[in-house]
Amino acid sequence: GGGGQNEGNHEESGETERTREFPPACTGSATMATTTSSFQSYLTGKLAGVKRLSYFRTPVYIMGLHLFKPPQDWAVSFADLQEIGKKQFRHKDEKISSFNYKMAENAGVRKEGSYLPPGITRSKHPGEPKDTSIRAAREEAEEVMFTSVRELLEEKGLKARDVDVVVVNCSLFNPTPSLAAMIINHFEMRSDVIVYNLGGMGCSAGVISIGLVNEILQCHKNCRALVVSTENITQNYYQGTNRSMSIPNHLFKVGGAAILLSNKPKDRRKAKYRLMHTVRSHFGAKDDSYQCVFQQEDDEGFRGVRLDKSLMKIAGEALTKNIEKLGTVALPLGEQLKFVWDQLVRKKFGKRKGRPPFVPDFKKAFDHFCIHAGGRGVLDAMIENLSLTEDHLKPSRQTLWEFGNTSSSSIWYELAWMETHGRVKRGDVVWQIAFGSGFKCNSAVWKSMKDNGKVHRCWTEEREKRLLNKSYKGSFVEADGSARYVDHEVETAQELMDSHMGGDGLQSFKKSFRRKLGRRGGEPLLKKDQ
C-alpha cells in the first residue's frame, strides 16, 4: 500500500535489476504481496497461482517486545468521559446523545479506567479546554515511544547505537521532524541508521512495518531492527456531533509497542519467534473500500475519522482475499492441497461456481490468533467466519477491554497477553492479522523458538517508570519550557533573511563543511573566495 514516508539513509533505490535463480529470493528492490520462508509453501503457492510470492532465505527473528502501559493519571472514569465528550453525550438531539451512550455500553471497551492523553483529559475539569497543539501531541508521542524503546533496549542489554534499522508507524500524526527522527534524536542513534516513517496506513500498519523490515533485512546482513507502532490521540479526538465520526472516540485509546528484530545468526539462540510468512492485501482501487475509513471535516468544520456502514462488509471481503493467499502458504500440506485444488478448479476450469468455496480449518495451521482488536463487531465476525472459539479470541477481547483499540499496536498487546499467561510454547505458530484504512488486510505468521512465558508489565499492576527527560524542542520554547523570543522580535527583516538565504547562510554552510571534512594534502576543500 501507499502512504509511507521514507526518511533517512537507505540503499534500496539504487539497486539494479538482478537475474534471479528459481525460486526468487527477496531483495530490497521488490515490493511483495506475499512472502514465505518455506520452499514447500513457495511451491504450493505458485501452484495455486499466487503471482506476487517471494521466498526469503535470511531468517528474521523477534528478540523482544515492550508494550506501553499508560500512567494512572491518564485513566478516566465514565463521568470524565461524559464531561470530555459533553457535546456528544449531552446533545439536545436524543438521536446523538443516545447513540453515544449505546456505543459506550457496547463497544467492548471498559468505561472506567480507559486511557486518554493529558491534552484531552484536562477537559474533564469544567471550563478547561482541550490542548490539541503540536506540542501536546508530540509529548504524548514521546511518553509512549521513548518509554517503550528505553525499556526494550534495557531489557535486551543493548545501546541505541546497536540498532541498524528504525521503522515507525503512526497513522494520523506525522509532524516534521518525523516521529522516527524524534527517536533518533532522543537516543542519539548513529547517522547511518536506515529509517522509515510510515504515515496514514491505519491499524494494519504494524504488520506492514514487519513486512518492510523483512525486506530490508534480506539485503542487509547482520542487522538489528527496531519497529515502533503507535497511534496519537491528542489531535484526533473528535469534537463534533456526527455519529459515524463519533465512533472512534469510544474505541481508540492510548497505546504503543516497540519490537526488536534481528537477522544476526548469533541472535538465533536468544530469539523468541521466527517470521514464517507475510501476506499484504490492498483494496484501495475500489471507491467503497477507499472511502470506508476516511479522515475529513464534518459540516461544522470538526476534523475526525468517519467509519462507513459498509466497513464490516468490506472487512469481510478483505479477509477472504487475504486468507486465499495465506492458505496457500501457511496451511499444513494436506489442507494446502485441498485448498489449492479448490482454487484451481474454480479459477482455471470454471467449475464449482454454484458451490461455496472450501474453507480450510485454520486451527490446524495456527495455535494462537492475534486478531486486531478493532471493535467487538469485528471480533464477533472473526469467530463466525473462521470457526474459532471464544478461547481463541480471548487475547483480542482482553486487549480491547483493557486498552481499547490501540490501532497498529493491538496485535502486540495480544501477543504479550498470551506470553504473560504462559500460552506460547516452543514450536507454536502465531497468526497476526489486522485491518486498516485504504482498505487493507495484512497477515504475519510467526513460529515460537522457545517457551515464551515472560510476564509483561502492561498486563500486571506494575506501573511504567515515567520519563525523566522530556525532549520537546520547539523553535520558540526554551529547554525549561519557558517562552523564547520570536526571532523577528530580536532580528531585523534583513538580518533574518541573510541568515537563512543570504551571504551569512552561505558562509555558515562553508564553515560547517570545512570543519567536518578537514583538509586534503594541506589544501582547503573550498577556497576562501568560493
Side-chain angles (χ1 to χ4, degrees):
Q5 172 191 345
N6 169 26
E7 175 184 317
N9 306 293
H10 61 99
E11 302 169 10
E12 290 77 25
S13 60
E15 277 199 15
T16 57
E17 187 66 26
R18 298 175 180 175
T19 302
R20 294 176 175 179
E21 58 182 280
F22 179 86
C26 295
T27 66
S29 61
T31 302
M32 294 161 287
T34 306
T35 69
T36 180
S37 64
S38 166
F39 182 60
Q40 174 186 295
S41 297
Y42 174 81
L43 291 178
T44 55
K46 281 298 183 183
L47 183 62
V50 180
K51 295 179 180 178
R52 305 197 68 185
L53 172 62
S54 296
Y55 169 64
F56 62 90
R57 296 182 180 86
T58 302
V60 173
Y61 305 105
I62 288 181
M63 304 306 299
L65 61 153
H66 183 85
L67 286 304
F68 178 72
K69 185 172 186 176
Q72 191 58 39
D73 56 3
W74 290 22
V76 291
S77 66
F78 187 49
D80 294 335
L81 285 173
Q82 293 175 75
E83 179 63 31
I84 292 168
K86 58 187 176 184
K87 285 190 68 174
Q88 292 112 14
F89 284 103
R90 301 172 188 171
H91 200 277
K92 60 184 179 181
D93 186 340
E94 188 179 345
K95 288 182 180 178
I96 294 174
S97 59
S98 64
F99 173 81
N100 282 281
Y101 278 107
K102 287 178 181 177
M103 276 299 305
E105 287 290 337
N106 298 301
V109 182
R110 58 178 176 162
K111 296 189 295 183
E112 300 290 335
S114 58
Y115 298 105
L116 291 173
I120 302 301
T121 59
R122 69 196 303 268
S123 65
K124 68 184 180 184
H125 304 292
E128 285 286 337
K130 297 177 178 68
D131 182 359
T132 59
S133 64
I134 290 179
R135 173 168 185 156
R138 278 190 180 270
E139 288 179 342
E140 177 195 345
E142 285 184 353
E143 191 76 40
V144 175
M145 298 191 307
F146 295 173
T147 302
S148 300
V149 173
R150 178 198 67 198
E151 293 297 305
L152 178 59
L153 293 178
E154 285 183 1
E155 177 195 334
K156 308 316 294 183
L158 297 174
K159 297 178 180 178
R161 298 182 70 82
D162 295 326
V163 175
D164 306 287
V165 181
V166 176
V167 176
V168 178
N169 67 265
C170 181
S171 190
L172 293 175
F173 180 57
N174 290 282
T176 298
S178 69
L179 300 179
M182 287 167 59
I183 292 174
I184 291 168
N185 177 264
H186 182 78
F187 290 97
E188 299 180 353
M189 291 183 168
R190 305 194 320 259
S191 62
D192 63 347
V193 65
I194 300 171
V195 187
Y196 285 87
N197 198 95
L198 306 182
M201 303 197 79
C203 299
S204 66
V207 180
I208 293 173
S209 294
I210 294 299
L212 176 57
V213 165
N214 182 36
E215 294 185 40
I216 294 170
L217 296 188
Q218 295 310 306
C219 56
H220 294 277
K221 308 303 180 185
N222 285 309
C223 289
R224 292 191 179 103
L226 174 68
V227 170
V228 179
S229 292
T230 188
E231 191 51 85
N232 195 279
I233 306 298
T234 298
Q235 292 188 333
N236 298 289
Y237 197 84
Y238 178 60
Q239 301 184 54
T241 56
N242 182 290
R243 288 182 292 177
S244 295
M245 297 172 72
S246 298
I247 297 172
N249 284 7
H250 300 282
L251 293 173
F252 286 89
K253 309 298 178 183
V254 173
I259 306 97
L260 182 69
L261 301 103
S262 174
N263 65 359
K264 289 176 176 282
K266 70 176 184 179
D267 285 342
R268 184 185 187 280
R269 63 184 180 86
K270 298 179 181 178
K272 295 168 73 75
Y273 302 93
R274 177 180 173 178
L275 182 61
M276 303 301 293
H277 320 284
T278 66
V279 180
R280 287 180 57 182
S281 308
H282 199 302
F283 305 92
K286 297 181 179 179
D287 284 348
D288 57 347
S289 297
Y290 174 70
Q291 295 174 344
C292 69
V293 181
F294 210 88
Q295 186 180 27
Q296 62 184 63
E297 287 86 16
D298 63 12
D299 53 8
E300 296 178 281
F302 292 108
R303 184 188 301 170
V305 176
R306 176 180 58 83
L307 303 183
D308 194 81
K309 293 179 181 178
S310 64
L311 176 58
M312 291 298 294
K313 171 179 173 289
I314 290 167
E317 293 172 352
L319 172 66
T320 300
K321 292 295 183 182
N322 190 271
I323 65 175
E324 280 182 7
K325 301 291 187 297
L326 184 65
T328 64
V329 296
L331 290 167
L333 184 59
E335 290 289 297
Q336 276 185 350
L337 293 175
K338 293 177 187 177
F339 187 72
V340 168
W341 176 249
D342 184 71
Q343 296 293 309
L344 280 172
V345 170
R346 290 176 182 277
K347 293 180 180 179
K348 302 291 185 183
F349 308 114
K351 298 180 180 180
R352 299 187 181 181
K353 286 188 176 179
R355 295 167 55 184
F358 171 71
V359 179
D361 185 358
F362 281 96
K363 297 188 293 294
K364 293 181 179 179
F366 310 122
D367 301 290
H368 308 285
F369 299 80
C370 295
I371 299 169
H372 168 53
R376 199 188 72 177
V378 173
L379 300 180
D380 291 345
M382 292 296 284
I383 282 186
E384 181 178 347
N385 290 324
L386 296 178
S387 301
L388 301 178
T389 66
E390 276 296 335
D391 191 60
H392 289 125
L393 267 290
K394 193 171 183 179
S396 300
R397 291 206 191 276
Q398 288 295 111
T399 296
L400 182 64
W401 175 258
E402 186 73 18
F403 295 101
N405 181 342
T406 61
S407 190
S408 56
S409 64
S410 70
I411 55 175
W412 300 108
Y413 281 94
E414 294 159 16
L415 184 59
W417 185 91
M418 293 176 189
E419 290 189 358
T420 300
H421 289 82
R423 290 197 171 198
V424 185
K425 306 299 181 183
R426 181 184 179 90
D428 284 359
V429 179
V430 180
W431 177 22
Q432 293 180 316
I433 185 164
F435 306 91
S437 58
F439 190 82
K440 299 179 287 293
C441 180
N442 301 311
S443 293
V445 178
W446 304 89
K447 186 172 183 178
S448 179
M449 303 291 288
K450 58 184 179 182
D451 293 352
N452 286 300
K454 179 191 173 182
V455 177
H456 289 264
R457 184 181 295 156
C458 66
W459 290 109
T460 70
E461 295 299 318
E462 185 183 357
R463 311 308 305 183
E464 294 274 27
K465 291 181 288 184
R466 298 296 292 264
L467 277 182
L468 299 178
N469 177 23
K470 297 275 187 175
S471 65
Y472 178 81
K473 296 173 182 176
S475 59
F476 303 137
V477 181
E478 298 289 1
D480 62 359
S482 60
R484 178 187 298 172
Y485 286 112
V486 180
D487 49 19
H488 64 70
E489 294 178 353
V490 296
E491 294 178 290
T492 66
Q494 185 63 45
E495 289 172 337
L496 183 60
M497 189 195 74
D498 284 344
S499 66
H500 285 285
M501 303 173 62
D504 291 347
L506 179 59
Q507 290 303 316
S508 176
F509 177 84
K510 286 180 179 180
K511 289 178 181 178
S512 174
F513 188 69
R514 290 194 188 100
R515 276 199 306 270
K516 292 293 182 184
L517 295 184
R519 296 169 177 267
R520 292 179 183 167
E523 292 295 326
L525 286 172
L526 289 176
K527 295 180 180 179
K528 291 184 178 180
D529 59 349
Q530 285 183 297

